[in-house]
Amino acid sequence: RYIAWTALHNMGATAEQALVNVYNQSTDSRQRARTLWLLGKIEGRGAQYVEAATKDKDSDIRILGIRLARELKLDIIPIAARLAKDPSAQVRREVAIALRHNTSDKMPGLWAGLALQHDGQDRWYLEALGISADKNWDACLDAWLKRAGKDWNSPTGRDIVWRSRAKQTPALLAKIVQDESTPTETHPRYMRAFDFLSGPEKDQALQSILLGL
């Protein structure tokens, strides 16, 4: 397979039509994915095939399209915006990861939209959100809080706060622990979240819990 892939890759545009035929006609997702990756590597054709992949009916192919865009160092923001409400949670997870360390001012808003779709059941989705917001937690959490409103203190919202690492996180954790509607058996989980935080905000939040403020 490696020899065949390398040979086709070296052919470049000469092999394009044959590869397109396989991509369009095959019912094997793996074969279509391998073909698409080759097509995306043809000089000057990458963006076209990323576009095709991210509009494919197969969610696995849409995921590959996101990865191909990253491999080719294309602007991920318009792609993320298009797929941010994809019906597949797996695709949305891939969008979240693709946004990691992105410096666009649109990134926090896109992240907030993805976070609002967390269902409270998919721990990998929650972790993808955590990976995505790394080094940009303050902006991401702030964008999410503005859109979530009072729903931030819901079971799914508390998941987001638990995974967050923003300056606001300690105060929000304190509110969760002190809220009478928070199940007592979940308190240890939120208290352990403080272990991943630091700074004066953490100290103030812990004092407020201790003193019942």
Side-chain angles (χ1 to χ4, degrees):
R1 187 162 65 230
Y2 168 77
I3 293 172
W5 194 97
T6 303
L8 288 166
H9 179 57
N10 290 337
M11 291 179 192
T14 305
E16 184 173 8
Q17 188 55 55
L19 291 169
V20 167
N21 291 340
V22 174
Y23 174 69
N24 289 333
Q25 297 170 16
S26 177
T27 57
D28 186 324
S29 291
R30 292 181 179 86
Q31 189 176 63
R32 294 182 74 229
R34 291 169 184 150
T35 302
L36 184 63
W37 198 266
L38 272 165
L39 286 165
K41 291 285 189 173
I42 297 174
E43 187 174 355
R45 307 293 278 166
Q48 173 186 328
Y49 290 111
V50 166
E51 180 83 3
T54 53
K55 292 181 177 179
D56 200 273
K57 293 184 295 183
D58 187 335
S59 60
D60 286 337
I61 298 297
R62 296 198 298 277
I63 289 170
L64 181 136
I66 298 167
R67 294 178 181 175
L68 180 59
R70 294 176 64 197
E71 170 78 9
L72 299 174
K73 295 180 169 46
L74 301 180
D75 183 3
I76 204 67
I77 293 298
I79 297 168
R82 188 168 67 248
L83 296 177
K85 292 186 178 180
D86 195 279
S88 167
Q90 289 87 347
V91 172
R92 298 197 306 275
R93 289 195 316 232
E94 197 67 32
V95 171
I97 292 171
L99 289 171
R100 176 180 169 89
H101 298 164
N102 191 288
T103 57
S104 170
D105 58 2
K106 295 180 180 179
M107 185 276 181
L110 288 169
W111 185 92
L114 292 167
L116 288 170
Q117 296 174 79
H118 172 52
D119 64 4
Q121 304 299 317
D122 187 345
R123 64 187 181 125
W124 299 117
Y125 193 93
L126 183 62
E127 184 56 27
L129 291 172
I131 292 169
S132 179
D134 180 51
K135 297 183 179 180
N136 200 19
W137 266 114
D138 290 339
C140 288
L141 192 65
D142 185 59
W144 172 75
L145 287 168
K146 288 177 180 176
R147 293 181 62 179
K150 294 181 180 179
D151 288 341
W152 78 265
N153 196 10
S154 62
T156 54
R158 290 194 287 268
D159 267 356
I160 303 295
V161 173
W162 172 82
R163 182 58 181 82
S164 67
R165 305 288 186 266
K167 289 182 179 179
Q168 295 187 69
T169 299
L172 294 173
L173 286 170
K175 287 181 180 179
I176 290 171
V177 172
Q178 293 172 308
D179 190 331
E180 293 181 358
S181 67
T182 303
T184 304
E185 63 271 17
T186 66
H187 285 187
R189 177 183 189 237
Y190 299 115
M191 292 304 298
R192 282 195 295 272
F194 281 101
D195 292 341
F196 300 92
L197 304 170
S198 60
E201 297 85 5
K202 171 183 176 179
D203 297 338
Q204 291 170 10
L206 290 172
Q207 288 175 15
S208 72
I209 295 172
L210 181 62
L211 299 175
L213 299 177

Coordinates of all heavy atoms in Angstrom, one line a residue, residues 157-211:
G157 N -23.6 22.5 31.8 CA -22.8 23.7 32.0 C -21.7 23.4 33.1 O -20.6 23.9 33.0
R158 N -22.1 22.7 34.1 CA -21.1 22.5 35.2 C -20.0 21.6 34.7 O -18.9 21.7 35.2 CB -21.9 21.8 36.4 CG -22.8 22.7 37.1 CD -23.2 22.2 38.5 NE -24.2 21.1 38.4 CZ -25.5 21.3 38.4 NH1 -26.0 22.5 38.5 NH2 -26.3 20.2 38.4
D159 N -20.3 20.7 33.7 CA -19.2 20.0 33.1 C -18.2 20.9 32.4 O -16.9 20.7 32.6 CB -19.8 19.1 31.9 CG -20.1 17.7 32.4 OD1 -19.8 17.4 33.6 OD2 -20.7 16.9 31.6
I160 N -18.7 21.9 31.7 CA -17.8 22.9 31.1 C -16.9 23.6 32.1 O -15.7 23.8 31.9 CB -18.6 23.9 30.2 CG1 -19.5 23.2 29.2 CG2 -17.7 24.9 29.6 CD1 -18.7 22.5 28.1
V161 N -17.5 24.1 33.2 CA -16.8 24.8 34.2 C -15.8 23.9 34.8 O -14.6 24.2 35.1 CB -17.8 25.3 35.3 CG1 -17.0 25.9 36.5 CG2 -18.7 26.4 34.7
W162 N -16.2 22.6 35.1 CA -15.3 21.6 35.7 C -14.0 21.4 34.9 O -12.9 21.3 35.4 CB -16.0 20.3 35.9 CG -15.1 19.2 36.3 CD1 -14.8 18.8 37.6 CD2 -14.6 18.2 35.4 NE1 -14.0 17.7 37.5 CE2 -13.8 17.3 36.2 CE3 -14.6 18.0 34.1 CZ2 -13.2 16.2 35.7 CZ3 -13.9 16.9 33.5 CH2 -13.2 16.0 34.4
R163 N -14.2 21.5 33.6 CA -13.0 21.2 32.7 C -12.2 22.5 32.4 O -11.1 22.5 31.9 CB -13.5 20.6 31.3 CG -12.4 20.2 30.4 CD -11.3 19.3 31.0 NE -10.3 19.0 30.0 CZ -9.2 19.8 29.8 NH1 -9.1 21.0 30.5 NH2 -8.3 19.4 29.0
S164 N -12.8 23.7 32.7 CA -12.2 24.9 32.3 C -11.0 25.3 33.2 O -10.8 24.7 34.3 CB -13.2 26.1 32.3 OG -13.6 26.3 33.7
R165 N -10.2 26.2 32.6 CA -8.9 26.6 33.4 C -8.8 28.2 33.3 O -7.7 28.7 33.2 CB -7.7 26.0 32.7 CG -7.7 24.5 32.7 CD -7.5 23.8 34.0 NE -7.4 22.4 33.9 CZ -8.4 21.5 34.0 NH1 -9.6 22.0 34.2 NH2 -8.2 20.2 33.9
A166 N -10.0 28.9 33.3 CA -10.0 30.3 33.2 C -9.8 31.0 34.5 O -10.0 30.3 35.6 CB -11.2 30.8 32.5
K167 N -9.6 32.3 34.5 CA -9.5 33.0 35.8 C -10.8 33.0 36.5 O -10.9 33.1 37.7 CB -9.0 34.4 35.5 CG -7.5 34.5 35.1 CD -7.1 36.0 34.9 CE -5.6 36.0 34.5 NZ -5.2 37.4 34.3
Q168 N -11.9 32.9 35.7 CA -13.3 32.9 36.3 C -13.6 31.5 36.9 O -14.6 31.4 37.7 CB -14.3 33.2 35.3 CG -14.3 34.6 34.7 CD -15.5 34.9 33.8 OE1 -16.6 34.9 34.2 NE2 -15.2 34.9 32.5
T169 N -12.9 30.5 36.5 CA -13.2 29.1 36.9 C -13.4 28.9 38.4 O -14.4 28.4 38.9 CB -12.3 28.1 36.3 OG1 -12.3 28.2 34.9 CG2 -12.6 26.7 36.7
P170 N -12.4 29.4 39.2 CA -12.5 29.1 40.7 C -13.8 29.7 41.3 O -14.5 29.0 42.1 CB -11.3 29.8 41.3 CG -10.3 29.8 40.1 CD -11.1 30.0 38.9
A171 N -14.1 30.9 40.9 CA -15.4 31.5 41.5 C -16.6 30.7 41.0 O -17.5 30.6 41.8 CB -15.5 33.0 41.0
L172 N -16.6 30.3 39.8 CA -17.7 29.5 39.3 C -17.8 28.1 40.0 O -18.9 27.7 40.4 CB -17.6 29.3 37.8 CG -17.8 30.6 37.0 CD1 -17.5 30.3 35.5 CD2 -19.1 31.2 37.1
L173 N -16.7 27.5 40.3 CA -16.7 26.3 41.0 C -17.2 26.5 42.4 O -18.0 25.6 42.9 CB -15.3 25.7 41.1 CG -14.7 25.1 39.8 CD1 -13.2 24.8 39.9 CD2 -15.5 23.8 39.4
A174 N -16.8 27.6 43.0 CA -17.3 27.9 44.4 C -18.8 28.0 44.4 O -19.5 27.5 45.3 CB -16.6 29.1 44.9
K175 N -19.4 28.7 43.4 CA -20.8 28.9 43.3 C -21.5 27.5 43.1 O -22.6 27.3 43.7 CB -21.2 29.8 42.1 CG -20.8 31.2 42.3 CD -21.2 32.1 41.1 CE -20.9 33.6 41.4 NZ -21.2 34.4 40.2
I176 N -20.9 26.6 42.3 CA -21.5 25.3 42.1 C -21.5 24.5 43.4 O -22.6 23.9 43.8 CB -20.7 24.5 41.0 CG1 -20.9 25.2 39.7 CG2 -21.1 23.1 41.0 CD1 -20.0 24.6 38.6
V177 N -20.4 24.5 44.1 CA -20.3 23.8 45.4 C -21.3 24.3 46.4 O -21.9 23.6 47.2 CB -18.9 23.8 45.9 CG1 -18.8 23.2 47.3 CG2 -18.0 23.0 45.0
Q178 N -21.5 25.6 46.5 CA -22.3 26.3 47.5 C -23.8 26.3 47.1 O -24.7 26.6 47.9 CB -21.8 27.7 47.7 CG -20.5 27.7 48.4 CD -19.9 29.2 48.4 OE1 -19.8 29.9 47.4 NE2 -19.5 29.6 49.6
D179 N -24.1 25.9 45.8 CA -25.5 25.9 45.4 C -26.2 24.7 45.9 O -25.8 23.6 45.8 CB -25.5 25.9 43.8 CG -26.9 26.1 43.2 OD1 -27.9 25.7 43.9 OD2 -27.0 26.6 42.1
E180 N -27.3 24.9 46.6 CA -28.0 23.8 47.3 C -28.6 22.8 46.3 O -28.9 21.7 46.6 CB -29.2 24.4 48.1 CG -28.7 25.2 49.3 CD -29.8 25.7 50.2 OE1 -31.0 25.5 49.8 OE2 -29.6 26.4 51.2
S181 N -28.7 23.3 45.0 CA -29.3 22.3 44.0 C -28.2 21.4 43.4 O -28.6 20.4 42.7 CB -29.9 23.1 42.8 OG -28.9 23.8 42.1
T182 N -27.0 21.6 43.8 CA -25.9 20.8 43.3 C -25.9 19.5 44.1 O -25.8 19.6 45.3 CB -24.5 21.4 43.4 OG1 -24.5 22.7 42.7 CG2 -23.4 20.5 42.8
P183 N -26.0 18.3 43.5 CA -26.0 17.1 44.3 C -24.8 16.9 45.2 O -23.7 17.1 44.7 CB -26.1 16.0 43.2 CG -26.7 16.7 42.0 CD -26.2 18.1 42.1
T184 N -25.0 16.6 46.4 CA -23.9 16.5 47.4 C -22.8 15.5 46.9 O -21.6 15.8 47.1 CB -24.4 16.1 48.8 OG1 -25.4 17.0 49.2 CG2 -23.3 16.1 49.8
E185 N -23.2 14.4 46.3 CA -22.3 13.4 45.9 C -21.3 13.9 44.8 O -20.3 13.3 44.6 CB -23.0 12.1 45.5 CG -23.9 12.3 44.3 CD -25.3 12.7 44.6 OE1 -25.5 13.2 45.7 OE2 -26.2 12.5 43.7
T186 N -21.7 15.0 44.2 CA -20.8 15.5 43.1 C -19.8 16.5 43.6 O -18.9 17.0 42.9 CB -21.6 16.2 42.0 OG1 -22.3 17.3 42.5 CG2 -22.6 15.2 41.4
H187 N -19.9 17.0 44.9 CA -19.0 18.0 45.4 C -17.5 17.6 45.3 O -16.7 18.5 45.0 CB -19.4 18.3 46.9 CG -20.6 19.1 47.0 ND1 -21.1 19.6 48.2 CD2 -21.5 19.5 46.1 CE1 -22.2 20.3 48.0 NE2 -22.5 20.3 46.7
P188 N -17.2 16.4 45.7 CA -15.7 16.0 45.6 C -15.2 16.3 44.2 O -14.0 16.7 44.0 CB -15.7 14.5 45.9 CG -16.9 14.4 46.8 CD -17.9 15.3 46.2
R189 N -16.0 16.0 43.1 CA -15.5 16.2 41.8 C -15.1 17.7 41.5 O -14.1 18.0 41.0 CB -16.6 15.8 40.8 CG -16.3 16.0 39.3 CD -17.5 15.6 38.5 NE -17.2 15.6 37.1 CZ -17.8 16.3 36.1 NH1 -18.8 17.1 36.5 NH2 -17.5 16.3 34.9
Y190 N -16.0 18.6 42.0 CA -15.7 20.0 41.7 C -14.6 20.5 42.6 O -13.8 21.3 42.2 CB -17.0 20.8 42.0 CG -18.1 20.4 41.0 CD1 -19.3 19.8 41.5 CD2 -18.0 20.5 39.6 CE1 -20.3 19.4 40.6 CE2 -19.0 20.1 38.8 CZ -20.1 19.6 39.3 OH -21.1 19.1 38.4
M191 N -14.5 19.9 43.8 CA -13.3 20.3 44.7 C -12.0 19.9 44.1 O -11.0 20.6 44.1 CB -13.5 19.8 46.1 CG -14.7 20.4 46.8 SD -14.6 22.2 47.0 CE -13.1 22.4 47.9
R192 N -12.0 18.7 43.5 CA -10.8 18.2 42.9 C -10.3 19.1 41.7 O -9.2 19.1 41.3 CB -10.9 16.7 42.4 CG -10.8 15.7 43.5 CD -10.7 14.3 43.0 NE -11.8 13.9 42.2 CZ -12.9 13.3 42.7 NH1 -12.9 13.0 44.0 NH2 -13.9 12.9 41.9
A193 N -11.3 19.7 41.0 CA -11.0 20.6 39.9 C -10.1 21.7 40.3 O -9.3 22.2 39.5 CB -12.3 21.1 39.3
F194 N -10.1 22.1 41.6 CA -9.2 23.2 42.1 C -7.8 22.8 42.0 O -6.9 23.6 41.9 CB -9.6 23.5 43.5 CG -10.8 24.4 43.6 CD1 -12.0 23.9 44.0 CD2 -10.7 25.8 43.4 CE1 -13.1 24.7 44.2 CE2 -11.8 26.6 43.6 CZ -13.0 26.1 43.9
D195 N -7.5 21.5 42.0 CA -6.1 21.0 41.9 C -5.4 21.4 40.6 O -4.2 21.5 40.5 CB -6.0 19.5 42.0 CG -6.4 19.0 43.4 OD1 -6.4 19.8 44.3 OD2 -6.7 17.8 43.5
F196 N -6.2 21.7 39.5 CA -5.7 22.1 38.2 C -5.6 23.6 38.0 O -5.3 24.0 36.9 CB -6.5 21.4 37.1 CG -6.5 19.9 37.2 CD1 -7.5 19.2 37.9 CD2 -5.5 19.2 36.6 CE1 -7.5 17.8 38.0 CE2 -5.5 17.8 36.7 CZ -6.5 17.1 37.4
L197 N -5.9 24.3 39.1 CA -6.0 25.8 39.0 C -4.9 26.4 39.9 O -4.4 25.7 40.8 CB -7.4 26.3 39.4 CG -8.5 25.7 38.6 CD1 -9.9 26.1 39.2 CD2 -8.5 26.1 37.1
S198 N -4.6 27.6 39.7 CA -3.6 28.3 40.5 C -3.9 29.8 40.5 O -4.7 30.3 39.7 CB -2.2 28.1 40.0 OG -2.0 28.5 38.7
G199 N -3.2 30.6 41.4 CA -3.4 32.0 41.3 C -4.3 32.5 42.5 O -5.0 31.7 43.2
P200 N -4.4 33.8 42.6 CA -5.2 34.4 43.7 C -6.7 34.1 43.6 O -7.4 34.0 44.6 CB -4.9 35.9 43.6 CG -4.4 36.1 42.2 CD -3.7 34.8 41.8
E201 N -7.1 33.9 42.4 CA -8.5 33.6 42.2 C -8.9 32.3 42.8 O -10.0 32.2 43.4 CB -8.9 33.5 40.7 CG -8.7 34.8 39.9 CD -7.3 35.1 39.4 OE1 -6.4 34.1 39.6 OE2 -7.0 36.1 38.9
K202 N -8.0 31.3 42.8 CA -8.2 30.0 43.4 C -8.3 30.2 44.9 O -9.2 29.7 45.6 CB -7.1 29.1 43.0 CG -7.2 27.7 43.8 CD -6.0 26.9 43.4 CE -5.9 25.6 44.3 NZ -4.8 24.7 43.9
D203 N -7.3 31.0 45.5 CA -7.3 31.2 46.9 C -8.6 31.8 47.4 O -9.1 31.5 48.4 CB -6.0 32.0 47.3 CG -4.7 31.3 46.9 OD1 -4.8 30.0 46.8 OD2 -3.7 32.0 46.8
Q204 N -9.0 32.9 46.7 CA -10.2 33.6 47.1 C -11.4 32.7 47.1 O -12.3 32.7 48.0 CB -10.4 34.8 46.2 CG -9.4 35.9 46.4 CD -9.4 37.0 45.3 OE1 -10.4 37.0 44.5 NE2 -8.4 37.8 45.3
A205 N -11.5 31.8 46.0 CA -12.7 30.9 45.9 C -12.7 29.9 47.0 O -13.8 29.6 47.6 CB -12.7 30.3 44.6
L206 N -11.5 29.4 47.4 CA -11.5 28.4 48.4 C -11.8 29.0 49.8 O -12.5 28.4 50.6 CB -10.1 27.7 48.5 CG -9.8 26.8 47.3 CD1 -8.3 26.4 47.4 CD2 -10.7 25.6 47.3
Q207 N -11.4 30.2 50.0 CA -11.7 30.9 51.2 C -13.2 31.2 51.3 O -13.8 31.0 52.4 CB -11.0 32.3 51.3 CG -9.5 32.1 51.6 CD -8.8 33.5 51.5 OE1 -9.4 34.5 51.5 NE2 -7.4 33.4 51.4
S208 N -13.8 31.5 50.2 CA -15.3 31.7 50.2 C -16.1 30.5 50.6 O -17.1 30.5 51.3 CB -15.8 32.3 48.8 OG -15.8 31.3 47.9
I209 N -15.6 29.3 50.1 CA -16.2 28.1 50.5 C -16.0 27.8 51.9 O -17.0 27.4 52.6 CB -15.6 26.9 49.6 CG1 -16.0 27.1 48.1 CG2 -16.2 25.6 50.1 CD1 -15.3 26.1 47.2
L210 N -14.8 27.9 52.4 CA -14.5 27.7 53.8 C -15.3 28.5 54.8 O -15.8 28.1 55.8 CB -13.0 27.9 54.0 CG -12.4 27.6 55.4 CD1 -12.6 26.2 55.8 CD2 -11.0 28.0 55.6
L211 N -15.4 29.8 54.4 CA -16.1 30.7 55.3 C -17.6 30.8 55.0 O -18.3 31.6 55.7 CB -15.5 32.2 55.1 CG -14.0 32.2 55.5 CD1 -13.4 33.6 55.2 CD2 -13.7 31.9 57.0

